[in-house]
Amino acid sequence: LGAAYKYGPNTNNDVSFNSVSILNNAIGVETSGKGDISMTDVTMANTKDIVINSATSVEFIEGTIDSTTVDVTTSGGKYTRMRQLDVTLTADAAGIPGASVTLLDASGASSGNGVTDSSGVAQDLKYVTATVDSSGLTTPSLAGYAVMIVAKV
């Protein structure tokens, strides 16, 4: 059995997957192309979920995947596993709209950012929970995250 989705070396376009299941294959997604791949709310359960054979970036946002089943065979290729966080800002029980919100990792680097809506909610701030490159899997510490907010109250 081969890949459920296979992108050859002449594939230059970016690809997005949203809310699909890719299950029970030898390889879920294999790419040797140049286009980047974004996968949101995807469920994966394959022998190898993702195989990257080129300098392609694959972002996997939410959904279900086992990052240990991701292979990156060449320098420049990268898989990034991300989660999303919603932040609500209120004052006197009322949402604060238009506030700039930044999610900071333990080193103080920006991980995700957004602006609060009319209810005071900044949605889908992304943060990285795992990466795979040609040297292997890296799982960053999630301890010490903080939220920085600039708002007029």
Side-chain angles (χ1 to χ4, degrees):
L1 296 173
Y5 294 91
K6 186 171 184 174
Y7 299 95
N10 292 327
T11 304
N12 295 319
N13 294 335
D14 293 344
V15 176
S16 293
F17 291 86
N18 294 297
S19 301
V20 298
S21 294
I22 305 171
L23 310 169
N24 304 317
N25 300 284
I27 300 171
V29 175
E30 181 176 8
T31 182
S32 299
K34 296 176 186 164
D36 292 334
I37 298 175
S38 175
M39 305 176 84
T40 304
D41 294 322
V42 173
T43 299
M44 305 281 283
N46 305 281
T47 305
K48 291 289 180 185
D49 283 331
I50 299 173
V51 176
I52 302 171
N53 299 315
S54 60
T56 296
S57 292
V58 175
E59 286 188 349
F60 194 94
I61 305 162
E62 292 298 335
T64 303
I65 191 169
D66 179 354
S67 294
T68 65
T69 68
V70 174
D71 282 343
V72 178
T73 63
T74 186
S75 178
K78 187 173 185 179
Y79 157 86
T80 305
R81 171 69 159 119
M82 303 170 113
R83 294 289 189 174
Q84 294 175 326
L85 174 72
D86 294 344
V87 173
T88 302
L89 177 62
T90 60
D92 298 326
I96 306 297
S100 296
V101 179
T102 303
L103 183 62
L104 304 171
D105 68 15
S107 71
S110 174
S111 176
N113 56 58
V115 175
T116 57
D117 62 16
S118 61
S119 300
V121 179
Q123 295 184 352
D124 301 336
L125 304 179
K126 294 181 183 116
Y127 60 99
V128 175
T129 61
T131 60
V132 178
D133 60 19
S134 59
S135 65
L137 173 66
T138 302
T139 305
S141 171
L142 298 179
Y145 269 76
V147 174
M148 176 179 68
I149 298 173
V150 177
K152 183 176 181 180
V153 180

